[in-house]
């Protein structure tokens, strides 16, 4: 069921109907990440580098290689910081278009089902900002475990699998259910939702492609929610419409 939902979501990314959202999300995400990189770089130059230079005011010429090493380490650190921010940044941007993607999928693949309702713009922005903070916090925990071989990779998938699965499944469910019922439905099927989140985390781990993680995740969870609804008919009568 999860693999079927993932395959349908991948097909949706390349569908003509979603091509406009595809390019808007990709373009805005790249621009945002470039702007963030420049901001991080300038912040480092303005606030961190002077502190380092003052800490070693009389470095002899033979030790100049220390500056080179520190510069390399700083570049790696900035790259890691940017990598950790890819998920929340793209989630905020794509959050503006997720309802468009979900609506297209519902209309094309589930025409006989009740139509979902888009979240109000303000609620969507608040939800995206909240998710931004949660994902950053989760990835900071994973970052602190980088020193432990094997644990760091596991932490990345576990943290992102849980957070991404929960957030995007609730998004798909709340298009068709009241919030309380959507949360109950997600809790009842938390194991399946988590496994779906692990698939999304795997997509997130692919460089460049991961810029489209929110669109892939939204499509996957729309299909997964539909499949679980059919498998669990006791909740079907709670759908609006």
């Amino acid at each position: 069921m999860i693999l079927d939902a993932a395959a349908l979501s991948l097909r949706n990314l390349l569908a003509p109907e979603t091509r406009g959202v595809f390019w808007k999300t990709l373009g805005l995400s790249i621009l945002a990440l470039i702007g963030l990189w420049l901001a991080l770089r300038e912040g480092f130059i303005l606030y961190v580098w002077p502190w380092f230079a003052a800490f070693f005011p009389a470095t002899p010429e033979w030790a100049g290689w220390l500056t080179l090493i520190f510069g390399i380490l700083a570049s790696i650190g900035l790259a890691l910081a940017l990598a950790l921010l890819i998920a929340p940044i793209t989630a905020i941007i794509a959050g503006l278009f997720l309802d468009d993607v979900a609506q297209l999928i519902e209309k094309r693949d589930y025409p006989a089902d009740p139509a979902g309702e888009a979240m109000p713009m303000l609620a969507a922005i608040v939800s995206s900002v909240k998710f931004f903070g949660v994902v950053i916090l989760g990835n900071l925990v994973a970052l602190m475990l980088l020193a432990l071989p094997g644990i760091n990779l596991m932490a990345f998938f576990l943290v992102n699998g849980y957070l991404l699965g929960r957030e995007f499944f609730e998004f798909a469910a709340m298009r068709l259910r009241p919030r309380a019922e959507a949360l109950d439905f997600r809790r009842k099927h938390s194991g399946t939702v988590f496994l779906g989140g692990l698939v999304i985390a795997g997509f997130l781990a692919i460089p460049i492609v991961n810029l489209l993680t929110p669109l892939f995740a939204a499509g996957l969870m729309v299909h997964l929610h539909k499949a679980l609804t059919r498998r669990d008919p006791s909740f079907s009568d709670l759908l609006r419409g």
Side-chain angles (χ1 to χ4, degrees):
M1 180 171 56
I2 294 171
L3 294 179
D4 288 342
L8 289 170
S9 183
L10 286 173
R11 186 188 70 178
N12 179 70
L13 284 178
L14 303 175
E17 300 93 329
T18 56
R19 197 165 294 160
V21 176
F22 178 101
W23 289 115
K24 283 188 289 187
T25 299
L26 184 60
L28 290 174
S29 296
I30 291 174
L31 288 176
L33 290 170
I34 290 174
L36 185 60
W37 167 260
L38 293 175
L40 288 173
R41 182 177 178 276
E42 289 302 312
F44 177 83
I45 292 173
L46 287 175
Y47 300 107
V48 179
W49 186 258
W51 174 85
F52 175 76
F55 193 72
F56 297 102
T59 303
E61 292 185 6
W62 61 266
W65 58 272
L66 289 174
T67 302
L68 175 62
I69 292 177
F70 183 77
I72 293 174
L73 292 176
S75 298
I76 294 174
L78 289 175
L80 286 174
L82 191 66
L84 289 173
L85 291 173
I86 285 178
I89 288 293
T90 54
I92 286 180
I93 293 173
L96 303 175
F97 308 109
L98 292 184
D99 277 306
D100 295 339
V101 173
Q103 184 178 10
L104 285 169
I105 293 174
E106 291 168 355
K107 184 177 179 180
R108 183 190 62 205
D109 297 335
Y110 308 97
D113 291 356
E117 295 182 8
M119 291 178 63
M121 180 59 70
L122 180 59
I125 293 175
V126 171
S127 178
S128 294
V129 172
K130 174 186 173 184
F131 182 51
F132 177 89
V134 171
V135 172
I136 287 180
L137 179 61
N139 280 280
L140 284 176
V141 173
L143 179 63
M144 288 187 290
L145 297 173
L146 280 176
L148 303 176
I151 300 297
N152 48 13
L153 184 62
M154 185 184 302
F156 172 85
F157 279 97
L158 291 178
V159 169
N160 283 290
Y162 173 75
L163 292 175
L164 294 169
R166 183 190 69 178
E167 187 71 17
F168 284 100
F169 187 84
E170 290 178 1
F171 155 77
M174 284 191 289
R175 284 181 53 81
L176 295 161
R177 307 174 186 272
R179 177 178 174 80
E181 300 296 344
L183 296 181
D184 286 341
F185 194 67
R186 192 265 303 169
R187 293 187 190 103
K188 182 176 181 180
H189 299 283
S190 58
T192 302
V193 172
F194 175 66
L195 291 176
L198 289 179
V199 174
I200 297 172
F203 191 93
L204 178 65
I206 304 174
I208 307 301
V209 174
N210 56 11
L211 293 175
L212 298 172
T213 298
L215 298 185
F216 171 75
L220 187 154
M221 288 305 181
V222 167
H223 289 295
L224 187 60
H225 175 257
K226 290 289 187 179
L228 287 173
T229 297
R230 285 167 167 73
R231 179 171 292 189
D232 188 359
S234 64
F235 276 83
S236 296
D237 58 355
L238 297 175
L239 293 177
R240 294 201 297 265

